[in-house]
Amino acid sequence: MAHKSLSKTKHNSVKDALPRHYHVIAEIAGWIGAISLLSGYLLISNHIIKSDEPAYHLLNLIGAGGLIVIALTKKLYQSILVNIVWMIVAVAALVGLVS
């Protein structure tokens, strides 16, 4: 019985408070976000798309959003801040392209 009490620990994190399926969704969102940001960087670095094309800014917007989702579950506040700014820049660029 003492062995069981030693193996049990309490975690006060967002991860423990959320249902398991949310974690799976958050992980998927995080991977989609990472792939989106890296794809945008790869495409622009290889001159496949240009920085004034909506596709580039949409990849940044989707990427930052996905990374925010996973960062929220892991309480990574620095990453959340950076990606919120990244999203604001992407939205501003998209608005500038349409107007």
Side-chain angles (χ1 to χ4, degrees):
M1 187 157 182
H3 178 69
K4 285 184 181 180
S5 64
L6 289 175
S7 64
K8 289 184 180 180
T9 58
K10 291 187 178 183
H11 300 285
N12 293 325
S13 70
V14 174
K15 187 174 182 179
D16 294 330
L18 297 171
R20 173 142 173 76
H21 69 276
Y22 181 82
H23 299 294
V24 172
I25 293 168
E27 288 289 336
I28 292 168
W31 280 109
I32 290 171
I35 291 166
S36 295
L37 282 177
L38 292 172
S39 296
Y41 185 66
L42 176 74
L43 292 170
I44 202 164
S45 295
N46 288 294
H47 308 288
I48 297 169
I49 61 175
K50 295 179 183 176
S51 64
D52 61 350
E53 292 183 36
Y56 174 67
H57 300 292
L58 284 171
L59 285 169
N60 281 307
L61 184 62
I62 292 166
L67 291 178
I68 287 171
V69 171
I70 191 63
L72 283 169
T73 64
K74 297 178 185 280
K75 294 185 175 182
L76 302 172
Y77 302 115
Q78 299 89 339
S79 181
I80 294 166
L81 174 66
V82 167
N83 284 294
I84 287 172
V85 172
W86 203 280
M87 286 183 78
I88 292 169
V89 171
V91 168
L94 284 167
V95 168
L97 288 175
V98 233
S99 53

